[in-house]
Amino acid sequence: MHLMRMLIAAALALFMIAGPASALVIKQVEPDASWAAADWAVNLVGDHIEVSLQKEFKVPEMVGAPLVLEFTLQDNDLGKDIYLVHAGDGEEVINSTGLAWGDFHFVLVNPPQVPFLPPPAGATFVELSGVSSDLFGAPAAASGSQIDFLGGPVPAGGVVHFSGIRIAHSGGEGAVFYLKEIPTPEPGSFAIVCFGAGVLLFRRARTKGR
C-alpha cells in the first residue's frame, strides 16, 4: 500500500510539471511524408504550449520547397503561446536531402477570413530577440510572419536546431494557421543542381533532334 501511494504521488508530481496534453491539433499538409516528414508531441506546460518538433527533409527536391504544418486551436489553447522545442533544445531539423543548405526560413501564414471555412488564428512570431540556431546563430531577419537564417551551411546528413521560436495567437476554438519551413541550397549545391538540370535538358534536346 505504501508503494502504491508513492507511485501515485510521483505520477501526480510528473503531471504537475509536464502538464496535460494540449488539445492543439497539428497536421502535415505538404509534402508527402516520403519527401519530408515531421514528428511532434504537444503538451501544456504552465501558461504555454510546448510542441516537441523534429523534421526531416528527405529528397533533393525539397531543397527550396516548404514543409507545411497546419495548427488548429482548441478551447483550452486560448491565450497560450506555442513554443517549438525538441528534447530540451530547439526544434530539430535533419538534412537527408544529399545537398548542403545555405539558408533556412520559417514562415507563418494565417488564412483569409472566408465564410464556412476555419477562421484565421492571428498567429505571429514573438520574442524575436531570443531566437537563435546552433549552426546559423541569430537570424539575419525576423518579423512577426517570417524568420530568415542565412549563411549556414547545414551539410548533407547534418542536423540543425532552432531555439527560442515562439508563436502567439489570438484565434478562438477551431482557428487555424500554417507554419512553413523552407531550406535553400548553398551556392555550390545550387550550381550542382543547375548543372544536372542543364545536362538533362541537353540530352532531351539531342534525343528529340535525332
Side-chain angles (χ1 to χ4, degrees):
M1 180 64 71
H2 180 66
L3 178 60
M4 180 63 71
R5 289 177 178 174
M6 290 179 62
L7 291 174
I8 293 173
L12 288 173
L14 181 61
F15 179 84
M16 292 177 66
I17 294 171
S22 166
L24 178 69
V25 176
I26 303 175
K27 179 175 67 174
Q28 180 172 328
V29 294
E30 290 183 28
D32 183 85
S34 63
W35 283 43
D39 292 311
W40 59 83
V42 182
N43 284 287
L44 288 174
V45 181
D47 62 352
H48 65 274
I49 301 167
E50 287 193 356
V51 178
S52 180
L53 190 57
Q54 182 186 62
K55 297 184 178 181
E56 181 181 9
F57 290 77
K58 301 179 179 181
V59 295
E61 290 83 356
M62 284 306 300
V63 181
L67 191 161
V68 184
L69 296 182
E70 178 187 77
F71 290 69
T72 303
L73 302 175
Q74 303 301 312
D75 182 59
N76 61 335
D77 300 326
L78 301 180
K80 297 180 175 67
D81 288 356
I82 299 168
Y83 294 15
L84 305 185
V85 301
H86 179 74
D89 201 345
E91 175 189 331
E92 182 173 274
V93 181
I94 303 169
N95 179 5
S96 299
T97 63
L99 299 173
W101 303 342
D103 309 327
F104 200 89
H105 310 274
F106 291 80
V107 180
L108 277 180
V109 178
N110 291 286
Q113 184 77 54
V114 178
F116 309 112
L117 291 180
T124 182
F125 292 120
V126 295
E127 300 185 32
L128 297 172
S129 62
V131 176
S132 65
S133 167
D134 55 356
L135 290 184
F136 291 99
S143 68
S145 60
Q146 185 162 334
I147 301 174
D148 299 315
F149 291 91
L150 308 180
V154 181
V159 178
V160 59
H161 296 89
F162 300 95
S163 60
I165 296 181
R166 300 180 180 182
I167 301 169
H169 55 85
S170 58
E173 182 175 4
V176 302
F177 68 89
Y178 298 90
L179 174 64
K180 297 183 177 183
E181 299 189 19
I182 310 163
T184 53
E186 66 171 351
S189 296
F190 182 71
I192 292 172
V193 172
C194 291
F195 177 77
V199 170
L200 181 60
L201 290 173
F202 176 74
R203 288 179 176 175
R204 286 181 177 176
R206 288 191 61 186
T207 301
K208 289 182 179 180
R210 291 178 179 175

